[in-house]
Structures are given as C-alpha cells and as structure tokens.
Amino acid sequence: MSASIKSEFQSCIQACQECLIDCKVCLAKMAGMKSMNDCPYCCIQCIEVLEASIGLMAADSKFSKEQCALCAKVCEYCAEQCEQHDHDHCKRCAESCRKCAEECRKMAA
Amino acid sequence: MSASIKSEFQSCIQACQECLIDCKVCLAKMAGMKSMNDCPYCCIQCIEVLEASIGLMAADSKFSKEQCALCAKVCEYCAEQCEQHDHDHCKRCAESCRKCAEECRKMAA
Amino acid sequence: MSASIKSEFQSCIQACQECLIDCKVCLAKMAGMKSMNDCPYCCIQCIEVLEASIGLMAADSKFSKEQCALCAKVCEYCAEQCEQHDHDHCKRCAESCRKCAEECRKMAA
Amino acid sequence: MSASIKSEFQSCIQACQECLIDCKVCLAKMAGMKSMNDCPYCCIQCIEVLEASIGLMAADSKFSKEQCALCAKVCEYCAEQCEQHDHDHCKRCAESCRKCAEECRKMAA
C-alpha cells in the first residue's frame, strides 16, 4: 500500500481493493449462470460503492465516513448472498465482503 | 435516455451523467492551475459519488436513495466552490452540480 | 451535453454514456439468469472500456483515439452477443452498442 | 490478492491497484497547485486506463492485453511527468507508474 496514504485509511483502502477484485471476479464468473438469490446482482452494487469509498479515502475526503458507512451495509448484504453459494469465487467474495464491511464500519465510526 | 431505465430514475441519471462530464472537464482544465479554494478538489470527490449514484440507479438498487442523498451533499459543496471561479468550465460545473443536487434530493426523498 | 465539451467529442461521449447505461441495465437485469452466450459477460467488459473512453475524451486526452478504437471492438462484440437475446434490455443494449461502436470508430479515425 | 484471480494476472492487477491509489493521491494533493508540466493532468488519464485494465483482467477478458498495452503507454507518460516534481506523492506516483507500465507490457506481450 502506498506510503502516500494516510495511515488511518490504509487498512480500509486495502480491504476495499481486495473486495473490489473479488466482487468483479464473482460477477464475471457468475455471468450467464442461473442463481436463486441476489448473487451476483449484489456484486454489481457492491462494486459501485467500493469504488466510491476507495476514491474518497484516497482523496482524503470529508465525505469518506458517510460513503464507508453505506459501503459497510452493501458489503454485508453481498456477503449474505454470496456465502449461500458453494462456488469458490462466491465463498471468497463473501469473506472479503465481511472483512471489508468491518473495516468500513471502523472508518465510519 | 434508455427506454430500459425506470421512469423515476431517468431525470436523476441524466442529471448525474451531465454533472459527471462537467466535473471531469472542470477537473481536467483546472489541472496544474493555482486555485484559492476547493475547486477542482471538490470535482474529484463529486466524480466518485456521481459514478456510484449512476451505477446504483441503473441497477435499480435498494441503496440508490442513500447514495443519492450523499451525492446531493457533495454536489452542493462542489457547486459552492466552482461557482466562485470565473472560468466557463467552473460556472458550467457549478450549474450542473446545483441541478444534480436537486435531482438527487428528490430521488433520496 | 455540456457546452464545455469539445464539439468533436460531443456525439461520441453521448453515445458512450447512453451505451454505458444500457450495458449497466442489461447486466443488472441478466444477473442470476441463465444465458447460453456471452451476454451479460460482454456487458461487464463493455462497461470498463466505455468508462475509460468517456473519461479520456472529457479530459481531452491524446490517448482518446486508442481507447475509442478498443471500445469500438468491445461494443461490436457486445452487440453481437446481446442481439441474440429477445429481452427488451438486451435488444436495447445491442442497439446502443452498435451506435457507440460507430461513434468510437469515427473518433479513432 | 484474491485466490480467485488467475495467477498470470495477479502481479499486474496488484501493480495497477497500487498505481491507481498513488495516482488518486497525487491528483488530490496537486489539486489547486500550480504545475509547470502535465502532473496532475497525466494522473487523471492514468486513472481512467488503470481502472479499465483492472476491470478487464478481473473479468479474464480477451481484451485485457490491448487495454494493458495502452495502460503501459499512459503510465510511462505519467511517470515522466510526475518524476519531475519533488513532492513525495509525485515521486511515489512516478515510481508506481514505472512498475505498473512494466507489468502491463508483460501482460500485453
């Protein structure tokens, strides 16, 4: 992680970036597959808020906390959906979402 | 605007897309120029939340309202900053931000 | 479309923005649905290059032509896939992709 | 880095993600500062192509190579500009851009 990033943002940005890749992988691998729940629809939404959270934190924005608070909610929702699937990429995505939600809640506090 | 978009999202997505371009133009034209206020730093932040708002609305996400509520705040802040500059691109950006803030507040209501 | 945008970019940015929304709508509506071809996997890829094309043109970047050349290819591929589906959002997406590919080819020329 | 990512993409995605943060930090910190060269205008452009490269690689897209080839060029240009500045964030950005350009050239080969 860049030395330019404020130390209080480092672990949250890292968690968001890992979660972003795992959501993008899950979304791409689930494309065209039948699903009985919101995975990968949840990943689409998670990607949007993750990118905003990363961007605002990297800019040291005063709006970072609010964006991260919303991001935590979307990550929890995404984790709940993806963890119901047995695919490796879904399990992995759910795990990253849980971790990211925790980091985002800390940021938002 | 796409016929596929839910009618209640149409004017807000359009306002966000126009605002996004105006923020990107303002940011690019202000790059390397001395500024005494938050323009174009505000545009950087506005771009992040606008993209998330557009993405969530296009996906008909249940999180659209919360994202749009935050977007309205960032747009107001960006308008306040950019309207203090006399450049055409700043004036134009401020105007788009005001309009977008209004649409986002309606969406968030 | 913003008056701040260079006139030669206007129609291409507009086509990219419409295509972006139609790809995002198609992707969201296809999420969790079985597909026998690359729709909506193609939309995921199209979204990535569309956003880059829009961003580079808005910044009046010297790399716009190259990005638009690649964007034209991805849009053609996306149109070929989505037009094989009978859903309104797929038909609409394919149509926007064809139009956007044409605008991007003109930009890249 | 996610275990879900193809091993041949891992180091390039990681380099792109680090570079993305460093470009975003450099852009935000340079906002409103006078610059005699293309920094941070180059960062704006670099961010656009980095996000597309990350997205296409995460989706295991057949267009990844072409996007990474363009990304390598933009990263080199950004490195040349930012390394002329003495700010820590500019030096750091230039360094990440050089590393990312190398990874992207390998990917594109």
Side-chain angles (χ1 to χ4, degrees):
Chain A
M1 178 59 57
S2 168
S4 308
I5 283 290
K6 277 196 167 175
S7 58
E8 72 257 39
F9 289 152
Q10 296 229 3
S11 61
C12 191
I13 288 182
Q14 195 168 338
C16 286
Q17 283 197 306
E18 281 173 21
C19 191
L20 180 65
I21 297 298
D22 288 326
C23 282
K24 283 185 183 261
V25 169
C26 190
L27 175 61
K29 287 189 186 288
M30 291 298 291
M33 289 180 67
K34 177 126 192 89
S35 164
M36 301 304 286
N37 74 4
D38 273 5
C39 165
Y41 175 58
C42 58
C43 301
I44 294 171
Q45 299 167 69
C46 212
I47 287 166
E48 299 291 349
V49 290
L50 285 165
E51 290 180 335
S53 297
I54 293 165
L56 291 180
M57 284 187 282
D60 194 15
S61 166
K62 61 184 171 182
F63 301 104
S64 298
K65 279 174 187 285
E66 271 184 89
Q67 186 65 57
C68 284
L70 177 53
C71 196
K73 283 191 213 179
V74 186
C75 284
E76 286 293 357
Y77 153 68
C78 195
E80 282 159 23
Q81 299 298 314
C82 295
E83 75 190 1
Q84 293 169 24
H85 285 169
D86 280 332
H87 307 289
D88 279 353
H89 49 82
C90 296
K91 293 287 179 204
R92 170 75 199 184
C93 184
E95 206 179 303
S96 292
C97 282
R98 290 279 184 218
K99 193 175 160 186
C100 188
E102 197 185 317
E103 289 288 345
C104 283
R105 273 191 304 266
K106 273 192 249 172
M107 259 302 299
Chain B
M1 178 58 57
S2 169
S4 307
I5 283 290
K6 276 195 167 177
S7 58
E8 72 258 38
F9 290 151
Q10 296 230 2
S11 61
C12 191
I13 288 182
Q14 195 168 338
C16 286
Q17 283 197 307
E18 281 173 21
C19 191
L20 180 65
I21 297 299
D22 288 325
C23 282
K24 283 183 183 261
V25 168
C26 189
L27 175 61
K29 286 189 187 288
M30 291 299 292
M33 289 180 66
K34 176 125 193 92
S35 164
M36 301 305 286
N37 74 4
D38 273 5
C39 166
Y41 175 58
C42 57
C43 302
I44 295 171
Q45 299 167 68
C46 213
I47 287 165
E48 300 291 350
V49 291
L50 284 165
E51 289 180 335
S53 297
I54 292 165
L56 291 180
M57 284 187 283
D60 193 15
S61 166
K62 61 183 171 183
F63 301 104
S64 298
K65 279 174 187 286
E66 271 183 89
Q67 186 64 57
C68 285
L70 177 54
C71 196
K73 283 191 213 178
V74 185
C75 284
E76 285 293 357
Y77 154 67
C78 196
E80 283 159 23
Q81 299 298 313
C82 295
E83 74 190 2
Q84 294 170 22
H85 285 168
D86 281 333
H87 306 289
D88 279 353
H89 49 82
C90 296
K91 293 288 179 204
R92 170 76 200 185
C93 184
E95 204 179 305
S96 292
C97 282
R98 290 279 183 219
K99 192 175 159 186
C100 189
E102 196 185 317
E103 289 288 346
C104 282
R105 274 191 303 267
K106 273 193 249 172
M107 258 302 300
Chain C
M1 178 58 58
S2 169
S4 308
I5 282 290
K6 276 195 167 176
S7 58
E8 72 257 38
F9 290 151
Q10 295 230 3
S11 61
C12 190
I13 288 182
Q14 195 168 338
C16 286
Q17 282 198 307
E18 282 173 21
C19 191
L20 181 64
I21 297 298
D22 288 325
C23 282
K24 283 183 183 261
V25 169
C26 189
L27 175 61
K29 287 189 186 289
M30 291 298 291
M33 290 181 65
K34 177 128 191 88
S35 165
M36 302 304 286
N37 74 5
D38 273 5
C39 166
Y41 175 58
C42 56
C43 301
I44 295 170
Q45 300 167 68
C46 212
I47 287 165
E48 299 291 349
V49 291
L50 285 164
E51 290 180 335
S53 297
I54 292 165
L56 291 181
M57 283 187 284
D60 193 14
S61 165
K62 62 184 171 182
F63 301 104
S64 297
K65 280 176 186 286
E66 271 183 88
Q67 187 64 57
C68 284
L70 176 54
C71 196
K73 282 192 214 179
V74 185
C75 283
E76 285 293 357
Y77 154 67
C78 196
E80 283 159 23
Q81 299 299 313
C82 295
E83 75 189 3
Q84 293 169 23
H85 285 168
D86 280 333
H87 307 289
D88 279 353
H89 49 82
C90 297
K91 294 288 179 204
R92 170 76 199 185
C93 185
E95 206 179 303
S96 291
C97 283
R98 291 279 183 218
K99 193 174 157 186
C100 189
E102 196 185 317
E103 289 289 345
C104 283
R105 273 191 304 266
K106 272 192 249 171
M107 259 302 300
Chain D
M1 178 58 58
S2 169
S4 307
I5 283 289
K6 277 195 166 176
S7 58
E8 71 257 39
F9 289 151
Q10 295 230 3
S11 61
C12 190
I13 288 182
Q14 195 168 338
C16 286
Q17 282 197 307
E18 281 173 21
C19 191
L20 180 65
I21 297 299
D22 289 325
C23 282
K24 283 183 184 261
V25 169
C26 189
L27 175 61
K29 286 188 186 289
M30 291 298 291
M33 289 180 66
K34 176 126 192 91
S35 165
M36 303 304 287
N37 73 4
D38 273 6
C39 166
Y41 175 58
C42 57
C43 302
I44 295 171
Q45 300 167 68
C46 212
I47 287 165
E48 300 290 349
V49 291
L50 285 164
E51 290 180 335
S53 297
I54 293 165
L56 291 181
M57 284 187 283
D60 193 14
S61 165
K62 62 184 171 183
F63 301 104
S64 297
K65 279 174 187 286
E66 270 183 88
Q67 186 65 56
C68 284
L70 176 54
C71 195
K73 284 191 213 178
V74 185
C75 284
E76 285 293 357
Y77 153 68
C78 195
E80 284 159 23
Q81 298 300 312
C82 295
E83 75 190 1
Q84 295 169 22
H85 286 168
D86 280 332
H87 307 288
D88 279 354
H89 49 82
C90 297
K91 293 288 180 205
R92 170 74 199 185
C93 185
E95 205 179 302
S96 292
C97 282
R98 291 278 184 219
K99 194 175 158 186
C100 189
E102 196 185 318
E103 289 288 345
C104 282
R105 273 191 303 267
K106 272 193 247 170
M107 260 302 301

mmCIF file of all heavy atoms in Angstrom, chain C residues 64-89:
data_model
loop_
_atom_site.group_PDB
_atom_site.id
_atom_site.type_symbol
_atom_site.label_atom_id
_atom_site.label_comp_id
_atom_site.label_asym_id
_atom_site.label_seq_id
_atom_site.Cartn_x
_atom_site.Cartn_y
_atom_site.Cartn_z
ATOM 1 N N SER C 64 -7.238 9.347 -26.269
ATOM 2 C CA SER C 64 -8.664 9.090 -26.550
ATOM 3 C C SER C 64 -8.864 8.186 -27.764
ATOM 4 O O SER C 64 -9.696 7.276 -27.744
ATOM 5 C CB SER C 64 -9.411 10.405 -26.785
ATOM 6 O OG SER C 64 -9.380 11.213 -25.637
ATOM 7 N N LYS C 65 -8.120 8.451 -28.820
ATOM 8 C CA LYS C 65 -8.316 7.680 -30.058
ATOM 9 C C LYS C 65 -8.051 6.186 -29.830
ATOM 10 O O LYS C 65 -8.838 5.341 -30.254
ATOM 11 C CB LYS C 65 -7.402 8.201 -31.167
ATOM 12 C CG LYS C 65 -7.931 9.459 -31.854
ATOM 13 C CD LYS C 65 -6.923 9.987 -32.876
ATOM 14 C CE LYS C 65 -7.379 11.318 -33.456
ATOM 15 N NZ LYS C 65 -8.485 11.182 -34.421
ATOM 16 N N GLU C 66 -6.957 5.896 -29.159
ATOM 17 C CA GLU C 66 -6.627 4.479 -28.928
ATOM 18 C C GLU C 66 -7.665 3.799 -28.043
ATOM 19 O O GLU C 66 -8.047 2.651 -28.272
ATOM 20 C CB GLU C 66 -5.239 4.340 -28.294
ATOM 21 C CG GLU C 66 -4.131 4.241 -29.323
ATOM 22 C CD GLU C 66 -2.774 4.024 -28.686
ATOM 23 O OE1 GLU C 66 -2.388 2.866 -28.444
ATOM 24 O OE2 GLU C 66 -2.081 5.030 -28.405
ATOM 25 N N GLN C 67 -8.110 4.523 -27.024
ATOM 26 C CA GLN C 67 -9.122 3.936 -26.138
ATOM 27 C C GLN C 67 -10.431 3.717 -26.911
ATOM 28 O O GLN C 67 -11.088 2.688 -26.744
ATOM 29 C CB GLN C 67 -9.349 4.842 -24.929
ATOM 30 C CG GLN C 67 -10.269 4.237 -23.876
ATOM 31 C CD GLN C 67 -9.705 2.978 -23.232
ATOM 32 O OE1 GLN C 67 -8.634 2.970 -22.680
ATOM 33 N NE2 GLN C 67 -10.449 1.886 -23.318
ATOM 34 N N CYS C 68 -10.789 4.678 -27.738
ATOM 35 C CA CYS C 68 -12.033 4.555 -28.516
ATOM 36 C C CYS C 68 -11.932 3.440 -29.554
ATOM 37 O O CYS C 68 -12.935 2.781 -29.854
ATOM 38 C CB CYS C 68 -12.378 5.886 -29.182
ATOM 39 S SG CYS C 68 -13.053 7.091 -28.007
ATOM 40 N N ALA C 69 -10.747 3.216 -30.098
ATOM 41 C CA ALA C 69 -10.575 2.117 -31.061
ATOM 42 C C ALA C 69 -10.859 0.773 -30.378
ATOM 43 O O ALA C 69 -11.552 -0.087 -30.931
ATOM 44 C CB ALA C 69 -9.157 2.134 -31.634
ATOM 45 N N LEU C 70 -10.346 0.607 -29.178
ATOM 46 C CA LEU C 70 -10.606 -0.627 -28.426
ATOM 47 C C LEU C 70 -12.079 -0.697 -28.023
ATOM 48 O O LEU C 70 -12.718 -1.749 -28.106
ATOM 49 C CB LEU C 70 -9.706 -0.688 -27.178
ATOM 50 C CG LEU C 70 -9.911 -1.874 -26.240
ATOM 51 C CD1 LEU C 70 -9.820 -3.207 -26.975
ATOM 52 C CD2 LEU C 70 -8.886 -1.848 -25.102
ATOM 53 N N CYS C 71 -12.619 0.436 -27.632
ATOM 54 C CA CYS C 71 -14.023 0.499 -27.225
ATOM 55 C C CYS C 71 -14.937 0.063 -28.370
ATOM 56 O O CYS C 71 -15.915 -0.659 -28.151
ATOM 57 C CB CYS C 71 -14.356 1.930 -26.784
ATOM 58 S SG CYS C 71 -15.882 2.074 -25.847
ATOM 59 N N ALA C 72 -14.615 0.477 -29.579
ATOM 60 C CA ALA C 72 -15.422 0.095 -30.753
ATOM 61 C C ALA C 72 -15.461 -1.425 -30.899
ATOM 62 O O ALA C 72 -16.519 -2.016 -31.168
ATOM 63 C CB ALA C 72 -14.860 0.748 -32.014
ATOM 64 N N LYS C 73 -14.323 -2.060 -30.698
ATOM 65 C CA LYS C 73 -14.255 -3.535 -30.808
ATOM 66 C C LYS C 73 -15.121 -4.214 -29.748
ATOM 67 O O LYS C 73 -15.834 -5.174 -30.038
ATOM 68 C CB LYS C 73 -12.812 -4.011 -30.587
ATOM 69 C CG LYS C 73 -11.881 -3.837 -31.757
ATOM 70 C CD LYS C 73 -10.593 -4.613 -31.479
ATOM 71 C CE LYS C 73 -9.394 -3.896 -32.083
ATOM 72 N NZ LYS C 73 -8.133 -4.611 -31.797
ATOM 73 N N VAL C 74 -14.992 -3.733 -28.511
ATOM 74 C CA VAL C 74 -15.740 -4.368 -27.423
ATOM 75 C C VAL C 74 -17.244 -4.131 -27.623
ATOM 76 O O VAL C 74 -18.055 -5.032 -27.373
ATOM 77 C CB VAL C 74 -15.270 -3.848 -26.045
ATOM 78 C CG1 VAL C 74 -15.961 -4.601 -24.925
ATOM 79 C CG2 VAL C 74 -13.754 -3.993 -25.908
ATOM 80 N N CYS C 75 -17.609 -2.956 -28.092
ATOM 81 C CA CYS C 75 -19.026 -2.659 -28.357
ATOM 82 C C CYS C 75 -19.582 -3.574 -29.452
ATOM 83 O O CYS C 75 -20.717 -4.054 -29.354
ATOM 84 C CB CYS C 75 -19.207 -1.192 -28.770
ATOM 85 S SG CYS C 75 -19.121 -0.028 -27.391
ATOM 86 N N GLU C 76 -18.809 -3.819 -30.499
ATOM 87 C CA GLU C 76 -19.278 -4.716 -31.577
ATOM 88 C C GLU C 76 -19.505 -6.130 -31.034
ATOM 89 O O GLU C 76 -20.506 -6.772 -31.337
ATOM 90 C CB GLU C 76 -18.258 -4.766 -32.726
ATOM 91 C CG GLU C 76 -18.219 -3.537 -33.617
ATOM 92 C CD GLU C 76 -19.495 -3.330 -34.447
ATOM 93 O OE1 GLU C 76 -20.414 -4.170 -34.391
ATOM 94 O OE2 GLU C 76 -19.582 -2.300 -35.135
ATOM 95 N N TYR C 77 -18.551 -6.591 -30.247
ATOM 96 C CA TYR C 77 -18.661 -7.920 -29.621
ATOM 97 C C TYR C 77 -19.895 -7.968 -28.718
ATOM 98 O O TYR C 77 -20.667 -8.932 -28.737
ATOM 99 C CB TYR C 77 -17.371 -8.199 -28.847
ATOM 100 C CG TYR C 77 -17.437 -9.142 -27.667
ATOM 101 C CD1 TYR C 77 -17.706 -10.498 -27.827
ATOM 102 C CD2 TYR C 77 -17.192 -8.672 -26.374
ATOM 103 C CE1 TYR C 77 -17.739 -11.353 -26.718
ATOM 104 C CE2 TYR C 77 -17.219 -9.516 -25.275
ATOM 105 C CZ TYR C 77 -17.496 -10.855 -25.449
ATOM 106 O OH TYR C 77 -17.529 -11.686 -24.360
ATOM 107 N N CYS C 78 -20.116 -6.923 -27.950
ATOM 108 C CA CYS C 78 -21.258 -6.889 -27.035
ATOM 109 C C CYS C 78 -22.571 -6.873 -27.828
ATOM 110 O O CYS C 78 -23.530 -7.558 -27.470
ATOM 111 C CB CYS C 78 -21.144 -5.666 -26.116
ATOM 112 S SG CYS C 78 -22.220 -5.738 -24.671
ATOM 113 N N ALA C 79 -22.599 -6.111 -28.915
ATOM 114 C CA ALA C 79 -23.801 -6.051 -29.749
ATOM 115 C C ALA C 79 -24.123 -7.436 -30.332
ATOM 116 O O ALA C 79 -25.284 -7.877 -30.322
ATOM 117 C CB ALA C 79 -23.603 -5.038 -30.878
ATOM 118 N N GLU C 80 -23.102 -8.125 -30.813
ATOM 119 C CA GLU C 80 -23.302 -9.469 -31.397
ATOM 120 C C GLU C 80 -23.898 -10.441 -30.386
ATOM 121 O O GLU C 80 -24.687 -11.309 -30.733
ATOM 122 C CB GLU C 80 -21.952 -10.035 -31.882
ATOM 123 C CG GLU C 80 -21.486 -9.445 -33.195
ATOM 124 C CD GLU C 80 -19.973 -9.611 -33.399
ATOM 125 O OE1 GLU C 80 -19.386 -10.523 -32.766
ATOM 126 O OE2 GLU C 80 -19.399 -8.809 -34.164
ATOM 127 N N GLN C 81 -23.476 -10.327 -29.140
ATOM 128 C CA GLN C 81 -23.982 -11.227 -28.097
ATOM 129 C C GLN C 81 -25.393 -10.839 -27.664
ATOM 130 O O GLN C 81 -26.295 -11.667 -27.641
ATOM 131 C CB GLN C 81 -23.038 -11.204 -26.875
ATOM 132 C CG GLN C 81 -21.628 -11.672 -27.182
ATOM 133 C CD GLN C 81 -21.586 -13.115 -27.679
ATOM 134 O OE1 GLN C 81 -22.214 -13.997 -27.088
ATOM 135 N NE2 GLN C 81 -20.883 -13.360 -28.773
ATOM 136 N N CYS C 82 -25.585 -9.592 -27.318
ATOM 137 C CA CYS C 82 -26.869 -9.160 -26.745
ATOM 138 C C CYS C 82 -28.012 -9.242 -27.755
ATOM 139 O O CYS C 82 -29.152 -9.514 -27.396
ATOM 140 C CB CYS C 82 -26.760 -7.753 -26.168
ATOM 141 S SG CYS C 82 -25.633 -7.674 -24.750
ATOM 142 N N GLU C 83 -27.709 -9.026 -29.029
ATOM 143 C CA GLU C 83 -28.785 -9.032 -30.026
ATOM 144 C C GLU C 83 -29.361 -10.429 -30.251
ATOM 145 O O GLU C 83 -30.419 -10.581 -30.853
ATOM 146 C CB GLU C 83 -28.320 -8.396 -31.336
ATOM 147 C CG GLU C 83 -27.406 -9.247 -32.165
ATOM 148 C CD GLU C 83 -26.801 -8.474 -33.336
ATOM 149 O OE1 GLU C 83 -27.056 -7.267 -33.467
ATOM 150 O OE2 GLU C 83 -26.045 -9.088 -34.098
ATOM 151 N N GLN C 84 -28.682 -11.452 -29.741
ATOM 152 C CA GLN C 84 -29.206 -12.823 -29.856
ATOM 153 C C GLN C 84 -30.279 -13.118 -28.800
ATOM 154 O O GLN C 84 -30.927 -14.160 -28.856
ATOM 155 C CB GLN C 84 -28.061 -13.839 -29.704
ATOM 156 C CG GLN C 84 -27.048 -13.792 -30.854
ATOM 157 C CD GLN C 84 -25.788 -14.602 -30.553
ATOM 158 O OE1 GLN C 84 -25.824 -15.515 -29.727
ATOM 159 N NE2 GLN C 84 -24.699 -14.273 -31.208
ATOM 160 N N HIS C 85 -30.429 -12.226 -27.853
ATOM 161 C CA HIS C 85 -31.450 -12.402 -26.809
ATOM 162 C C HIS C 85 -32.687 -11.568 -27.121
ATOM 163 O O HIS C 85 -32.581 -10.491 -27.698
ATOM 164 C CB HIS C 85 -30.901 -11.984 -25.439
ATOM 165 C CG HIS C 85 -29.945 -12.973 -24.840
ATOM 166 N ND1 HIS C 85 -29.162 -12.693 -23.753
ATOM 167 C CD2 HIS C 85 -29.666 -14.263 -25.182
ATOM 168 C CE1 HIS C 85 -28.426 -13.755 -23.449
ATOM 169 N NE2 HIS C 85 -28.716 -14.713 -24.298
ATOM 170 N N ASP C 86 -33.834 -12.071 -26.686
ATOM 171 C CA ASP C 86 -35.101 -11.397 -27.009
ATOM 172 C C ASP C 86 -35.562 -10.384 -25.964
ATOM 173 O O ASP C 86 -36.534 -9.676 -26.186
ATOM 174 C CB ASP C 86 -36.214 -12.450 -27.211
ATOM 175 C CG ASP C 86 -36.136 -13.062 -28.598
ATOM 176 O OD1 ASP C 86 -35.626 -12.372 -29.507
ATOM 177 O OD2 ASP C 86 -36.572 -14.217 -28.759
ATOM 178 N N HIS C 87 -34.889 -10.330 -24.826
ATOM 179 C CA HIS C 87 -35.273 -9.350 -23.803
ATOM 180 C C HIS C 87 -35.149 -7.929 -24.357
ATOM 181 O O HIS C 87 -34.215 -7.637 -25.100
ATOM 182 C CB HIS C 87 -34.365 -9.469 -22.571
ATOM 183 C CG HIS C 87 -34.267 -10.831 -22.006
ATOM 184 N ND1 HIS C 87 -35.300 -11.446 -21.341
ATOM 185 C CD2 HIS C 87 -33.246 -11.733 -22.003
ATOM 186 C CE1 HIS C 87 -34.920 -12.648 -20.946
ATOM 187 N NE2 HIS C 87 -33.687 -12.844 -21.347
ATOM 188 N N ASP C 88 -36.064 -7.092 -23.945
ATOM 189 C CA ASP C 88 -36.006 -5.683 -24.357
ATOM 190 C C ASP C 88 -34.671 -5.046 -24.006
ATOM 191 O O ASP C 88 -34.093 -4.310 -24.796
ATOM 192 C CB ASP C 88 -37.128 -4.878 -23.664
ATOM 193 C CG ASP C 88 -38.454 -5.057 -24.370
ATOM 194 O OD1 ASP C 88 -38.478 -5.690 -25.456
ATOM 195 O OD2 ASP C 88 -39.475 -4.579 -23.834
ATOM 196 N N HIS C 89 -34.201 -5.327 -22.766
ATOM 197 C CA HIS C 89 -32.944 -4.677 -22.341
ATOM 198 C C HIS C 89 -31.750 -5.173 -23.151
ATOM 199 O O HIS C 89 -30.798 -4.420 -23.351
ATOM 200 C CB HIS C 89 -32.721 -4.860 -20.831
ATOM 201 C CG HIS C 89 -32.868 -6.260 -20.337
ATOM 202 N ND1 HIS C 89 -31.878 -7.187 -20.424
ATOM 203 C CD2 HIS C 89 -33.921 -6.899 -19.780
ATOM 204 C CE1 HIS C 89 -32.297 -8.344 -19.910
ATOM 205 N NE2 HIS C 89 -33.543 -8.192 -19.513
#
